[in-house]
Amino acid sequence: MFVKTYYKKRYLSLIAILYSSIFYLCLAVASYLTIYGSRKFQEWKANQKRNENDAYPAADSTCQNPQKTKRLASLDTFRGLSIVVMIFVNGGGGGYWFFQHATWDGLLVADLVFPWFIWIMGVCIPMAITGQLKRKEAEWTVFKGILRRSATLFFIGACLGSRGQPIETLRIPGVLQRFAVCYLFSATLVLFSLRLMHQKEPEGASVLKLTDVSNAWPHWVAILVLLAIHTGLTFGLPVPGCPTGYLGPGGLHDNASYPDFCIGGATGYIDKILLTESHIYKFPTAREVYKSGSFDPEGILGSVTSIIQTLLGVQTGITILTFKDKKRRLASWLSFAILFGLLGGALCNFTQFGGIIPVNKNLWSISYVLVTTCFALIILSVFYLLIDVYNIWNGAPLVFPGKHVLQHYMMERPNKKVLVELMKKDAKEFKESPKNANKLLSMQQKTEDEDKHIVLAAIKQIQNMTVHLLKQGYMVKEKTDSEAEEKYKSWLLERYREIVDSRLKQVASDDFDVFQANLRCLMDFLRHESLYPIHLSEDNGFHFPIDIINGILKVLLSTIEDKKEAISRFQEFVEYEDVKHYVLKCLNDLLKDMTAENYEPSEMFIKNLLGVLKFIHMRPIHGKKRHNEHEEFKLFCVDTDPAKPKFHMKMNQLRKYYTNIWLIIIKFNLSISIYKNLLTLVSEEVLPAVDKPLLFADFFLEAYDKGGPISLLALNGVFQLIHKFNLEYPDFYKKLYSLFVPDVFHAKYRARFFFLADIFMSSTYLSEYLAAAFVKRTSRLCLSAPPTGIRIALQFIGNIMYRHPGLKKMMHCPEDQTELGSDPYIMEERDPAKCRAIESSLWEVKTLQSHLIPKIADEAKFINKDLPKVEWFLGDILENTLEEIFEAEAKQSITEKVPISFEKPVGFRHSQNECFGDCFSLLNVIKL
């Protein structure tokens, strides 16, 4: 049976290779027949050969002119730029996201390189063939050269793609293979149609004549025919199991609406039918994200639009041959750039991921062709202007690699992509047979490589290999195992522990990409080890590998290094309830051990610990957003198999861990910055989520008694404990009254303080003397407060008076209280009951009605009329700045006449009794 299957696979592989060879041979024969028919039709004569030079367009500025060895330096420079970008992208792109390939739809910098090379090849084709014909080479000789170059490119590409691959899985398409097909078709068409280009650009010809376009009419006909074929197949070919015209990646895309084999729609389907799935690319960019199937981005249908892009480059080359005037060349290129840019933008709706035909490199969509050609024309125009027109730049150093593209490509390619492919092959062979277990060791060694990209690829493959071991249960020991099986499983288990330890070491890496890859790998191990336990328990209950979580937390809770970025990446896993439960358990055990050993943690450790806890969102049990017992939990270690044990949430235990952790933290020796951060964090996040909030009363009351900014930050916590949890603190308002000092208007937490103070004073059951004390003290502080603080204070005063109508008597200032010395209010008194504020008036607010800033003066006039019917909302002005006040004032229109002088003028440019003005008038009289 194995032999039959083997020969069946080999038979299908040979058929696929035969199909591709026949396709390539038919294309070559068709090209030759067109040349042969052209020769018969033209019937070469001796007189035509003598005038041959006049029959061809001018070739004075070619890529490689046979009569003039001068090359088009701007084109070489553009080619050099493309090869430099390619090398940089293959080298990781410096870690920048835009130097990566788009997952499916979209366009990033890395996606520009390949189409630029295709287009540049098209630019050079007409110029190179024209040069050969001008050297009196026969068309058959030129055609044989085209065949030879195409076959060479195809062979080199096949060799590069076949390293370490058996013939059964040899990938037929490829980058160089696509170059070969595009070159064969385009060069043959140019050779056939070059004699039809008899038009030259006469001097003084109209710009609208478009001679270069009319010279290339056969190519435009070919473009339209190829476009019709491509569009018809893409949107009309029915694909079994997939919607007709589908352009997505399948798999998880669009809420997993379509299976993974739908990737690419008709484009992928044609490759799988003609080449079979064994001979196409098996690891597309969409595979990791969307869990898609095999798809070849250099497949058959994409080659059709690649030929179109090559022919668009041919049009640029024909423009060079047709026009001698450099300005005409630039005008033509930029016109085409605008046209292609608008057409491509219209197809993709000028977005990265939308439109009728999205921009997609994997499909090589027509919008992708037009947009990348637009960019190519613009860059060539800029280089041509700088290098060939004005000679500002000689193209160095980009011009040098631009002359040796194939060598750079072949030297660069094996260093990265081939090694990655070999690692994928090793991982596949490891999964297929236990005899390949040593490949696990070699893959583990590659994770220690000096090359970052090799390390990342190796981590990905060892993740797949190890998850395969867990799923298949190869490390689970059973009583029926033989001695050899037991040794093998023990060996695998040791390797698994080594791999986990190695990943835990690398998760501490300073390189974020390496950290991220190892974190994903470890969490994948955790999930699968939980679903497929290595050690079977007697009760077959839920198993969670807590040692992995412990190892990750030890790295994140560094005592010397800020792990803020790493902790933010760990956040996505803490959102799962089972991971959250065991993270809190590990933290609780860790802090308990530190307390038992009297270990005082460093400031950096506490910062990292608070960073982890900040992302652990507990469901509140107090307030409006309290936890619903019937709410479903989001679990990380969950399987679709109902027979597998699942995690059971224990909220009481979880809250116990959470409460203990915070109670230990607040007892640490904290720095001022951490202490302030902790006051805010505990009051907003912790108190609503713990069973016994009063356990934190000492922490807040101690902070509230310290004074200054710390007391301001403790306000919210103390207020919650009093009003929601019945904490007895009779001196709360007395302490709050003492916080109203001039410094509060200049503090960093001024907005927060007044917002909370307004809430604290919102009760209408407060005594009138207490409300009067706060109103009077705030109005007195306004005399020395900044303008932004005065606006907040005035609305704060107005809200208190609205809640306590009995304070209206303070709005009327008696005649004996017009000065500070006659005011009965005692500013220095800290007890609001003894300050005599109820006997005073708001003459300070009256004084503010003469403030320099009109906005403040107008707002202070609220005491001259009835109080508003609704309270002011302080949130609208808490963050108001002085610049905003002046800007709002400047926008107001002035309807009244504004005086611009203190004295009324009595003459031209002077006022009464002004000596200088009299002298000026006297000089005017003398002059007259």
Side-chain angles (χ1 to χ4, degrees), residues 625-901:
K625 298 182 180 180
R626 62 177 61 122
H627 167 59
N628 183 5
E629 294 181 357
H630 302 288
E631 185 178 353
E632 294 184 359
F633 296 108
K634 182 180 178 183
L635 300 179
F636 182 70
C637 302
V638 65
D639 193 82
T640 54
D641 186 2
K644 289 187 176 295
K646 295 182 180 180
F647 172 78
H648 296 288
M649 195 67 187
K650 300 178 181 178
M651 287 301 301
N652 293 334
Q653 186 65 45
L654 184 67
R655 296 190 187 282
K656 183 179 179 181
Y657 291 149
Y658 190 69
T659 304
N660 290 340
I661 290 170
W662 284 107
L663 288 175
I664 293 174
I665 292 175
I666 61 178
K667 295 177 182 178
F668 285 148
N669 186 17
L670 305 173
S671 64
I672 296 298
S673 59
I674 294 179
Y675 191 50
K676 292 179 179 179
N677 185 26
L678 209 58
L679 286 168
T680 305
L681 202 59
V682 174
S683 62
E684 294 179 355
E685 301 291 338
V686 179
L687 290 183
V690 296
D691 293 324
K692 300 178 180 179
L694 292 178
L695 293 174
F696 297 86
D698 292 339
F699 172 69
F700 282 106
L701 293 178
E702 182 182 352
Y704 193 50
D705 291 335
K706 287 188 176 182
I710 293 180
S711 294
L712 300 183
L713 292 172
L715 267 178
N716 190 26
V718 174
F719 182 77
Q720 286 190 56
L721 293 174
I722 292 175
H723 285 264
K724 294 181 180 180
F725 308 112
N726 301 320
L727 175 68
E728 295 183 3
Y729 188 59
D731 294 334
F732 173 76
Y733 284 99
K734 182 178 179 181
K735 179 63 180 178
L736 178 63
Y737 179 77
S738 66
L739 294 179
F740 278 78
V741 293
D743 292 341
V744 77
F745 285 96
H746 304 277
K748 177 181 178 181
Y749 310 102
R750 179 187 64 189
R752 179 185 182 87
F753 172 75
F754 275 100
F755 182 77
L756 293 175
D758 188 58
I759 296 176
F760 302 154
M761 300 298 298
S762 61
S763 175
T764 57
Y765 296 100
L766 295 176
S767 59
E768 194 170 276
Y769 80 87
L770 183 63
F774 278 92
V775 167
K776 180 62 180 179
R777 190 170 185 84
T778 306
S779 62
R780 179 66 61 85
L781 293 175
C782 285
L783 296 178
S784 59
T788 53
I790 294 176
R791 294 193 66 196
I792 300 173
L794 288 174
Q795 293 194 11
F796 175 70
I797 293 171
N799 286 344
I800 296 177
M801 298 185 71
Y802 170 81
R803 297 160 189 156
H804 301 274
L807 300 182
K808 289 183 179 180
K809 58 186 178 181
M810 298 180 67
M811 298 168 56
H812 306 287
C813 179
E815 295 183 357
D816 59 346
Q817 293 186 18
T818 56
E819 295 181 1
L820 185 62
S822 58
D823 192 344
Y825 173 69
I826 305 173
M827 183 69 176
E828 293 77 15
E829 178 58 52
R830 294 295 182 178
D831 189 351
K834 301 177 181 179
C835 65
R836 300 177 61 188
I838 195 69
E839 303 174 16
S840 181
S841 65
L842 299 181
W843 60 267
E844 296 92 347
V845 179
K846 289 275 189 181
T847 305
L848 291 176
Q849 294 177 3
S850 303
H851 199 277
L852 179 64
I853 299 177
K855 184 72 174 176
I856 295 177
D858 292 339
E859 292 183 357
K861 294 178 181 178
F862 78 93
I863 63 172
N864 295 343
K865 49 190 175 182
D866 294 336
L867 292 174
K869 297 182 179 180
V870 293
E871 296 182 8
W872 281 298
F873 178 63
L874 265 64
D876 295 336
I877 61 170
L878 286 176
E879 303 295 338
N880 202 12
T881 62
L882 193 60
E883 290 78 9
E884 293 175 352
I885 295 176
F886 279 108
E887 184 178 355
E889 192 66 31
K891 289 181 179 179
Q892 293 185 2
S893 58
I894 301 176
T895 57
E896 300 178 357
K897 293 182 179 181
V898 179
I900 58 175
S901 178

Side-chain angles (χ1 to χ4, degrees), residues 41-57:
F41 179 78
Q42 295 293 338
E43 294 181 352
W44 296 106
K45 296 180 181 179
N47 60 344
Q48 288 178 324
K49 291 184 178 181
R50 287 193 297 268
N51 300 325
E52 196 173 26
N53 290 337
D54 295 333
Y56 300 119

Side-chain angles (χ1 to χ4, degrees), residues 490-505:
S490 299
W491 182 85
L492 285 178
L493 186 59
E494 290 177 4
R495 301 291 79 74
Y496 174 67
R497 296 305 177 195
E498 289 177 1
I499 291 171
V500 172
D501 292 340
S502 177
R503 302 285 69 76
L504 287 172
K505 290 179 181 178

Side-chain angles (χ1 to χ4, degrees), residues 334-351 366-367 370-375 378:
L334 293 176
S335 300
F336 275 119
I338 295 173
L339 176 63
F340 295 155
L342 292 176
L343 289 176
L347 291 175
C348 67
N349 200 21
F350 294 95
T351 60
I366 189 62
S367 59
L370 293 171
V371 171
T372 53
T373 302
C374 167
F375 291 152
I378 292 173

